[in-house]
Amino acid sequence: MKLYKIRVTGDKENFNIEYEYSINFVDYIKIEYQGSEQEKYQKFLQELEQNGGMHPINVKVKMKTKFVDRAYLKNEIIKIKDVNDFINRL
Amino acid sequence: MKKFENIMEKLAPFIMKFANSKPVMAMKDGLMLIMPLTLVGSLFLLLAFIPIDGWNSLMEGLFGQAWQEPLFQVVGATFDIIALVAVFGIAYTYAKNEGCEAVSAGILGIVSFLIVTASYVTGSGNEKIGGVIPKTWTGGKGMIAAILIGLLVGYVYSWFIKKGIRIKMPDGVPTGVANAFSALIPGLVIMIISMLLYILFKVLAGKTFIEWVYEVLQTPLQGLTDSLGGAIAIPFLISLFWWFGIHGPAVVMGVMSPICQANALANQEIVNAGGKLIAGQNAHIVTQQFVDQFITFGGSGMTLGLVLAMIFLAKSSHLKRLGELSIVPGIFNINEPILFGFSIVFNPMMLLPFILVPTLSGIITYTAIRLGFLAPFTAVQIPWTTPPILSGFIVGGWRAALLQVLLILMAALIYLPFLKIQDKISLQEELKSESAGEYLNI
């Protein structure tokens, strides 16, 4: 069971998402995914489904047009299949 | 509970739309520019008013009666110009977020602010002394006007640039020169609008725009936030938003911070004039320190009390270890490991204490100031990461530090029954998963 943190930067059209996980709630390790943002996001969803627990996902938002950090439940994020839809939800 | 969650789910998009709107983003980021001024200025202010008996006499003996004057020079050059810095920051950020060259927008913000401000002060014999920028209006009293002007200038400037209504220089002209020419048309329009505003308010209201905004908008807003209702609403909303997965302080303080700052500066003005701050009469209670040092210290929901309870009273190794790992960030008022690791966010069981603790703290602190146990706060501010007790001592002396200790104890007591329930669940899970070896590796 891992705790996940996502960092979103850029803007609505040109964004970047970094994925991290922690096993001790304090130190986070970066997950290195390859591919487009959509491909990386899909891989993260698989990871979340397999290893995510009941803990909410911490979303750090540092975009040009959005800045309020969010938290999402695992089930809620898993329902969002398209990375653009995820960005729009922030 | 489900009904409440449904309501919040329906409200969330509107809250996010508001929080991420262009004006709120420009305001939040633009106002960040005043933070270094208030924090560094606070050091000099603190030196001028160190709450130690005999300090003033000692300094007078060493440096003469005017020993505070150099310190006030620094205070005057920081606190007394925060509205000017804010108007620059807001217009600059708005234009930057719109993808426009932003420095010109910031400068036009300052120009516009000064156009609608009186350029004279009244002397003791009621004579007008011209050729001045009155600091009365460039500090805390001009905050709301600075926000309005900054947003208006940022919007108008960006509109002109994006619509291409500007003087375009040929390719090869240095960028700096091209930008200066680009700003001419929007600059002219902004200055004309500002001048018309000045005339309009002078003729119709008999005062400047800045004075009008202060009387009609800022004073009522300060009064509203300064009530017991304000002291309850701020912590309540911060916790409620966080529990529902929205960064509460970013949303609530993005709007409330300028007013809380203005409240503190109004108090300081009274002290500078030699007056005594009396809650309920001339002093504001809900200031930035009220929020940072008494309702969000230890992190949103004041979870430091919970962390201490976890360390000393939790039986499950999971929660005990989480408490130990969270204590250092908690001392510096960061509680992310608790919000997400405990977890508090979206946890129905934790909603009640997470809201109740800071709200009660707000009521207790408000009452302590209202009854005179604690002196109202001046403009002395410290970074929000300053550990409790030390932070309380700096902003309000030993009584404030003592109050923080009591509030941490209160938080621990309120969180305790909820911790026990969670502890029982964790203990059972640990026993179940011990053999499977699948529990979080902490």
Side-chain angles (χ1 to χ4, degrees):
Chain A
M1 201 161 50
K2 295 173 182 172
L3 194 63
Y4 294 95
K5 190 189 276 186
I6 299 175
R7 294 176 195 276
V8 188
T9 51
D11 54 42
K12 209 175 156 186
E13 281 77 34
N14 188 20
F15 55 84
N16 176 261
I17 308 177
E18 284 178 13
Y19 303 91
E20 296 173 5
Y21 74 91
S22 172
I23 51 170
N24 68 358
F25 301 110
V26 176
D27 303 310
Y28 282 82
I29 299 155
K30 200 172 168 184
I31 311 175
E32 301 285 356
Y33 291 129
Q34 301 298 319
S36 65
E37 287 301 330
Q38 177 61 37
E39 286 164 344
K40 288 194 274 182
Y41 180 71
Q42 274 170 339
K43 284 174 192 164
F44 172 68
L45 292 187
Q46 287 169 7
E47 159 79 20
L48 193 61
E49 207 151 11
Q50 283 166 14
N51 299 313
M54 47 127 189
H55 301 288
I57 291 94
N58 184 358
V59 186
K60 295 277 177 201
V61 185
K62 299 285 173 274
M63 297 176 77
K64 281 181 189 165
T65 48
K66 297 177 181 197
F67 70 94
V68 181
D69 294 346
R70 301 294 306 271
Y72 286 102
L73 288 168
K74 173 184 163 182
N75 291 345
E76 210 178 330
I77 287 201
I78 283 174
K79 272 191 256 170
I80 310 168
K81 302 293 179 197
D82 188 300
V83 71
N84 290 301
D85 290 343
F86 172 70
I87 295 293
N88 285 334
R89 283 282 295 273
L90 295 175
Chain B
M1 195 68 194
K2 194 74 200 158
K3 208 174 175 182
F4 166 73
E5 280 178 28
N6 287 340
I7 293 169
M8 284 305 289
E9 250 168 52
K10 279 181 187 153
L11 280 177
F14 296 104
I15 296 166
M16 292 315 296
K17 203 168 180 181
F18 169 75
N20 285 321
S21 65
K22 288 174 186 175
V24 174
M25 281 193 74
M27 207 170 98
K28 185 188 164 281
D29 289 347
L31 288 172
M32 289 302 282
L33 288 189
I34 69 172
M35 198 180 70
L37 300 188
T38 54
L39 290 180
V40 179
S42 288
L43 290 175
F44 293 86
L45 196 57
L46 196 62
L47 278 175
F49 294 102
I50 285 188
I52 296 174
D53 288 341
W55 172 257
N56 197 36
S57 328
L58 175 76
M59 295 304 277
E60 269 184 17
L62 288 172
F63 302 107
Q65 279 205 323
W67 72 273
Q68 287 172 318
E69 199 194 318
L71 298 172
F72 282 132
Q73 279 293 105
V74 181
V75 172
T78 49
F79 287 108
D80 290 352
I81 63 155
I82 62 164
L84 273 185
V85 177
V87 77
F88 175 91
I90 293 166
Y92 172 91
T93 311
Y94 195 104
K96 193 183 83 173
N97 290 348
E98 289 287 307
C100 303
E101 193 281 312
V103 174
S104 300
I107 292 168
L108 285 170
I110 294 178
V111 171
S112 178
F113 186 92
L114 291 177
I115 291 173
V116 297
T117 307
S119 51
Y120 59 83
V121 288
T122 310
S124 51
N126 245 0
E127 75 281 13
K128 282 183 180 174
I129 304 162
V132 297
I133 296 175
K135 279 188 179 174
T136 310
W137 299 107
T138 55
K141 276 184 165 179
M143 275 305 273
I144 299 296
I147 291 169
L148 295 176
I149 294 166
L151 291 175
L152 187 70
V153 168
Y155 176 79
V156 173
Y157 176 85
S158 306
W159 187 86
F160 271 89
I161 300 293
K162 283 170 81 177
K163 292 278 177 193
I165 310 170
R166 60 192 169 99
I167 297 171
K168 290 168 192 149
M169 300 303 281
D171 290 343
V173 172
T175 318
V177 179
N179 286 341
F181 274 90
S182 278
L184 287 181
I185 294 176
L188 178 69
V189 173
I190 286 165
M191 287 181 213
I192 290 172
I193 294 173
S194 306
M195 188 184 71
L196 292 175
L197 263 181
Y198 178 79
I199 296 168
L200 189 76
F201 279 88
K202 203 73 186 166
V203 172
L204 293 181
K207 56 189 74 163
T208 62
F209 176 69
I210 303 284
E211 289 164 345
W212 184 84
V213 169
Y214 177 71
E215 282 173 25
V216 176
L217 287 177
Q218 185 161 330
T219 306
L221 276 173
Q222 283 185 252
L224 206 65
T225 52
D226 204 31
S227 62
L228 181 61
I232 292 171
I234 294 172
F236 178 86
L237 289 174
I238 286 175
S239 285
L240 180 68
F241 286 161
W242 239 144
W243 184 86
F244 204 74
I246 298 170
H247 193 293
V251 177
V252 178
M253 293 317 288
V255 179
M256 297 305 299
S257 214
I259 302 164
C260 290
Q261 293 277 7
N263 285 348
L265 289 169
N267 284 358
Q268 188 61 49
E269 218 169 272
I270 294 165
V271 175
N272 290 351
K276 188 172 162 41
L277 291 172
I278 304 166
Q281 287 184 26
N282 62 356
H284 293 285
I285 296 175
V286 181
T287 60
Q288 193 65 42
Q289 302 93 321
F290 183 95
V291 177
D292 290 347
Q293 274 78 53
F294 294 91
I295 58 174
T296 58
F297 75 98
S300 298
M302 295 173 58
T303 52
L304 190 57
L306 171 64
V307 171
L308 290 171
M310 283 160 75
I311 293 171
F312 295 111
L313 302 169
K315 289 193 175 83
S316 72
S317 59
H318 160 57
L319 288 182
K320 207 173 184 62
R321 186 82 184 108
L322 176 60
E324 286 164 1
L325 286 166
S326 305
I327 187 70
V328 175
I331 287 171
F332 293 94
N333 307 311
I334 293 163
N335 65 343
E336 208 178 271
I338 293 293
L339 289 180
F340 291 91
F342 187 86
S343 58
I344 286 177
V345 177
F346 295 122
N347 183 347
M349 192 183 71
M350 297 308 287
L351 174 63
L352 181 66
F354 189 60
I355 287 180
L356 186 64
V357 168
T359 305
L360 265 181
S361 182
I363 295 169
I364 292 168
T365 308
Y366 187 93
T367 311
I369 297 174
R370 191 72 175 76
L371 296 179
F373 173 75
L374 209 62
F377 303 112
T378 59
V380 173
Q381 285 179 36
I382 47 173
W384 64 267
T385 45
T386 309
I389 302 175
L390 174 66
S391 65
F393 185 75
I394 295 172
V395 301
W398 70 268
R399 286 171 189 245
L402 175 67
L403 182 62
Q404 283 183 324
V405 173
L406 296 175
L407 292 175
I408 293 170
L409 290 175
M410 176 201 76
L413 278 175
I414 294 176
Y415 275 116
L416 190 58
F418 301 90
L419 167 66
K420 282 194 168 173
I421 298 170
Q422 189 63 46
D423 195 35
K424 203 173 168 185
I425 297 168
S426 293
L427 207 58
Q428 282 168 353
E429 281 177 3
E430 275 173 27
L431 290 171
K432 261 193 239 168
S433 57
E434 224 169 43
S435 53
E438 62 184 18
Y439 213 77
L440 269 172
N441 179 25
I442 55 171

